[in-house]
Amino acid sequence: MNGSSELVGRVREALREVIDPEIGFNIVDIGLVYDIALEEGGIVKVTMTTTTRGCPATDFLKDGAGEAAHNVEGVQSADIRLTYDPPWTPDMMSSAAKQYLGIR
Amino acid sequence: MIGASLSRWTMSYFSVALLSLLGAEALMVSGFGFPSRPITAPQTLVLVHLTVIGWLSLLMSGALIQFVPVLVAKPLAHPDLPAVALALLLIGLAGLIAGFLDIPGISSTSMPWLPFGAMVLSAGFVLNLWNLGRTLWSARPMGLPARFVVAGLVSLAGVVALGIVFSLTLARWTTSEVLTTLTAHGVALHAALGLGGWLGFTAMGVSYRLLAMFMLAPEEKRWTSRIALGAGTASIVVLLVGGPACLLFGLKLDHVLVVALLMASICVVLYGHDVVRLYRTRKRRHMELNTRMAAVALGGLGIAALLLLALAALGDVARYIGAVVFLVAFGWLSGLGLAKLYKIVAFLTWLQCYGPLIGKRATPRVQDLADEPRAMPWFWLYFASVGAASVAAFLDTPLVFRIAALGMLVATAGICAELVRIRTLKSVPTPMLPEGVQARPRLILPSLER
């Protein structure tokens, strides 16, 4: 594993500390984090979504993800981008999240 | 802005709404108004308007200023206008109630309370209509739930207009023959547009979205939903346009009401079908208390719709309409409202207390703010009491109705206590409590800092 993929991995782990308040599970396993990319100068670009477009928690989740990513050692700044393309569906959850919610 | 912001005044609307519900239930326990008094008695008018405006309309308005931005993914056009609207609605409601009590035989004062109350009340509703209307307008083309809300708001405009006409006529501020005819025969239109169009249809639209959100059910574009929207909207248009037109041309209102009822029935059947489908296709297998109780409330709507159709077929609507309206207002709308409040209050409280802490420290889940086993008995007591009160209203046994209303009052007080526990984070384990200024959110008024 090279340095950049290792840093991306640590950012992913840090984002697991951020939970979606309604579902009660972390945003990575729910499938809200679409992409994590490392750019020059230690800038991490996170592309994410929310379970519902217009969710009142959107700004909090975005800021929280930015905070969690920024706190990772080696990250100079975090750029969080929201997208609804594609829209989130429960099928995007990891098996751990599905098991937590009882989804077969 | 992709997300919707947190509405600062929603909790104030909810608090006043719950106080109105407790007040209305206390009046029913004391034998004030229907069924102890006739359906047209001033006391019944007080009870009806306290319930429909003080409780249900404030509940719906508070929910809409938070959830219309969610439905359309746009911020509210004027975030602080709801505070002015709430003040006007409360003053107007107080004036209206004073006006009803001023009807000869109860008490008499020289103050024209009825038109004063109606106008101030209308001003409050108009402000919210303007605010919500502008927000919805900025988000065209709208999705299906938002279109239900638009039709509900149009219906509200009709209810308000009729209310002003009634108050001006009853206060003898106008002697116009047209307006006098409308007042003498238009009460059914006012009630149907208010309970069915404004409160019922809007509740349907909001619940399509909320149930799908909370149960992780797929929001598919289905023909049943589109026809439900079309039939319900047609019913509202028939009442809004056909009703006054019939009266003005000297025709009987019955045909308009029957057509509107048939269209509304189609809407209710298809809506029921869609909601059952949402429950069946939900990804979240465990149902939270709010979704279980919402299902019970939906059962109340089904029973009320069947009863109304049966009574219409038997030509006996007038005799039992009070009981049917009671079941719609307290079994369906209030039951659904209390169930969803239990979830929405927890959600808003979580956002207020823990939203700023996301990413900084571990946070509890929304569900951790509520204690469902504690709250569940109150909900069951509420629905059982509403069932008993409905039967008592049908059988015209006021004393039994009052005893059942006592059950409703106790249950509502219990649910309110649970909501206060949520707001004060009583169920959150100590290590998970937030620290600092947001540790204890205000119960009713918003924090002034943004």
Side-chain angles (χ1 to χ4, degrees):
Chain A
M1 185 181 278
N2 62 33
S4 66
S5 62
E6 192 240 356
L7 185 57
V8 166
R10 281 195 282 128
V11 169
R12 192 179 302 280
E13 281 311 306
L15 291 176
R16 281 203 164 90
E17 297 300 315
V18 178
I19 68 156
D20 178 283
E22 169 47 27
I23 293 180
F25 215 72
N26 73 74
I27 60 173
V28 174
D29 281 310
I30 293 171
L32 298 183
V33 177
Y34 285 172
D35 186 50
I36 304 171
L38 184 64
E39 298 192 343
E40 278 184 34
I43 300 170
V44 166
K45 195 170 278 184
V46 177
T47 307
M48 64 176 286
T49 191
T50 56
T51 54
T52 304
R53 195 183 177 99
C55 169
T58 301
D59 290 342
F60 290 128
L61 281 171
K62 189 171 172 248
D63 292 348
E67 183 93 17
H70 182 66
N71 287 340
V72 173
E73 196 180 333
V75 173
Q76 295 303 312
S77 69
D79 178 16
I80 310 295
R81 295 193 175 178
L82 275 178
T83 182
Y84 290 91
D85 184 19
W88 177 85
T89 70
D91 295 332
M92 294 175 177
M93 291 186 192
S94 71
S95 54
K98 284 179 179 169
Q99 193 177 3
Y100 168 77
L101 287 167
I103 297 174
R104 293 180 200 102
Chain B
M1 181 182 181
I2 296 177
S5 55
L6 198 56
S7 163
R8 299 176 70 217
W9 295 99
T10 289
M11 208 56 73
S12 307
Y13 275 75
F14 288 170
S15 305
V16 180
L18 284 166
L19 288 175
S20 297
L21 175 61
L22 289 168
E25 288 171 343
L27 288 179
M28 288 191 283
V29 173
S30 71
F32 189 92
F34 176 83
S36 301
R37 298 273 187 156
I39 204 163
T40 51
Q43 293 91 335
T44 302
L45 294 178
V46 170
L47 183 59
V48 165
H49 287 81
L50 184 59
T51 302
V52 173
I53 298 174
W55 157 232
L56 291 171
S57 291
L58 288 185
L59 172 72
M60 187 62 78
S61 302
L64 288 181
I65 58 176
Q66 176 63 66
F67 283 99
V68 161
V70 176
L71 290 180
V72 299
K74 296 262 185 183
L76 198 64
H78 307 284
D80 285 322
L81 204 54
V84 183
L86 178 59
L88 290 171
L89 289 170
L90 289 178
I91 295 167
L93 178 60
L96 199 70
I97 287 173
F100 289 135
L101 295 175
D102 207 22
I103 289 173
I106 300 293
S107 70
S108 188
T109 66
S110 55
M111 179 69 188
W113 288 111
L114 209 54
F116 165 77
M119 283 181 196
V120 177
L121 202 50
S122 304
F125 278 125
V126 165
L127 287 186
N128 277 343
L129 279 168
W130 165 254
N131 203 359
L132 294 168
R134 274 202 66 191
T135 309
L136 288 160
W137 185 259
S138 70
R140 290 164 295 141
M142 285 172 275
L144 188 107
R147 291 180 192 194
F148 272 81
V149 174
V150 169
L153 293 178
V154 169
S155 200
L156 172 62
V159 179
V160 168
L162 283 171
I164 290 177
V165 168
F166 294 173
S167 69
L168 295 179
T169 311
L170 290 172
R172 295 189 176 81
W173 282 18
T174 175
T175 52
S176 156
E177 196 179 330
V178 171
L179 299 186
T180 306
T181 304
L182 208 52
T183 303
H185 303 287
V187 175
L189 294 177
H190 185 61
L193 283 169
L195 209 58
W198 154 231
L199 294 166
F201 210 54
T202 311
M204 287 179 186
V206 173
S207 63
Y208 265 117
R209 193 60 183 284
L210 286 185
L211 288 172
M213 267 172 66
F214 293 151
M215 295 193 296
L216 296 181
E219 282 185 273
E220 296 166 13
K221 290 178 181 169
R222 298 185 60 79
W223 65 269
T224 45
S225 313
R226 285 198 295 273
I227 295 181
L229 173 68
T233 306
S235 178
I236 289 170
V237 171
V238 165
L239 290 169
L240 263 180
V241 180
C246 244
L247 292 175
L248 298 183
F249 288 110
L251 302 170
K252 284 187 78 175
L253 200 59
D254 295 13
H255 301 300
V256 167
L257 293 175
V258 167
V259 172
L261 176 62
L262 286 175
M263 303 303 283
S265 303
I266 294 170
C267 172
V268 167
V269 168
L270 294 174
Y271 165 74
H273 169 273
D274 287 343
V275 170
V276 169
R277 194 170 188 287
L278 282 174
Y279 274 90
R280 292 177 68 177
T281 59
R282 72 185 192 279
K283 295 284 186 182
R284 200 171 201 162
R285 300 319 300 169
H286 170 71
M287 282 205 288
E288 293 179 343
L289 183 62
N290 78 90
T291 47
R292 294 201 300 275
M293 294 301 119
V296 179
L298 184 69
L301 170 64
I303 294 169
L306 286 175
L307 281 171
L308 194 55
L309 283 173
L311 291 171
L314 295 170
D316 219 1
V317 173
R319 189 174 164 198
Y320 294 107
I321 190 65
V324 175
V325 167
F326 176 85
L327 186 55
V328 170
F330 289 96
W332 177 40
L333 291 170
S334 300
L336 181 67
L338 288 169
K340 289 297 153 197
L341 263 184
Y342 191 70
K343 179 71 183 186
I344 294 168
V345 167
F347 191 62
L348 295 181
T349 304
W350 191 97
L351 288 179
Q352 225 177 325
C353 297
Y354 293 101
L357 301 178
I358 300 180
K360 295 189 178 80
R361 50 156 282 189
T363 52
R365 305 166 306 164
V366 171
Q367 299 91 310
D368 296 329
L369 272 62
D371 186 346
E372 292 195 356
R374 266 184 70 106
M376 195 161 57
W378 297 122
F379 277 97
W380 283 121
L381 175 62
Y382 176 82
F383 281 111
S385 302
V386 168
S390 301
V391 172
F394 268 100
L395 300 177
D396 197 20
T397 49
L399 184 61
V400 178
F401 179 88
R402 289 171 63 183
I403 294 168
L406 180 61
M408 289 167 61
L409 177 63
V410 171
T412 305
I415 292 169
C416 287
E418 292 304 311
L419 294 175
V420 171
R421 281 180 59 88
I422 289 173
R423 287 294 288 164
T424 50
L425 307 177
K426 282 283 190 291
S427 300
V428 179
T430 308
M432 293 297 256
L433 283 173
E435 294 161 4
V437 290
Q438 293 286 349
R440 290 286 182 270
R442 293 187 182 184
L443 272 181
I444 296 173
L445 290 171
S447 299
L448 292 177
E449 70 273 12
R450 285 179 189 273

